[in-house]
Amino acid sequence: MFVMAIILRSIVLVGGSALTAGLLCWLAMISADRLHHHGWAAILILILLSILFLSGMVHSEFVRLSALCGLCGALFLWISASEPDISAGRNGK
């Protein structure tokens, strides 16, 4: 029974961290969209995560794993912002 509790706690920890990081990435994307600079979403996440690390709030496993997932999300946002817009067509119009 003890092993099942450890497995369940790990699943909840990873799922909650991924959900929190996804929410952070979504909020950064919405904020950057409102600023009309889609490339700033990854920068916003990196600024928030650097504030988190400098404040010393990384003692929790949940916070560390959420920050790691947030860094992966910032990488995906940075890659998606650097790709050209496909809906504009071949000529870019």
Side-chain angles (χ1 to χ4, degrees), residues 5 13-14 18 24 32 41 45 48 53 55-56 59 62 64 78 87 90-91:
L13 178 69
V14 171
L24 176 68
I45 292 175
L48 290 174
F53 281 116
S55 68
H59 299 294
F62 178 74
R64 284 193 306 247
W78 179 62
S87 64
R90 284 198 160 194
N91 298 332

Side-chain angles (χ1 to χ4, degrees), residues 27-86:
L27 288 174
M29 187 177 64
I30 295 297
S31 299
D33 188 38
R34 292 202 182 237
L35 294 172
H36 301 290
H37 293 282
H38 302 289
W40 287 6
I43 295 170
L44 289 173
I45 292 175
L46 292 177
I47 289 170
L48 290 174
L49 290 179
S50 64
I51 290 171
L52 179 76
F53 281 116
L54 290 175
S55 68
M57 294 176 38
V58 291
H59 299 294
S60 170
E61 263 184 74
F62 178 74
V63 174
R64 284 193 306 247
L65 192 56
S66 295
L68 182 65
C69 293
L71 283 175
C72 294
L75 177 66
F76 287 129
L77 284 174
W78 179 62
I79 290 170
S80 69
S82 65
E83 290 180 0
D85 191 16
I86 297 172

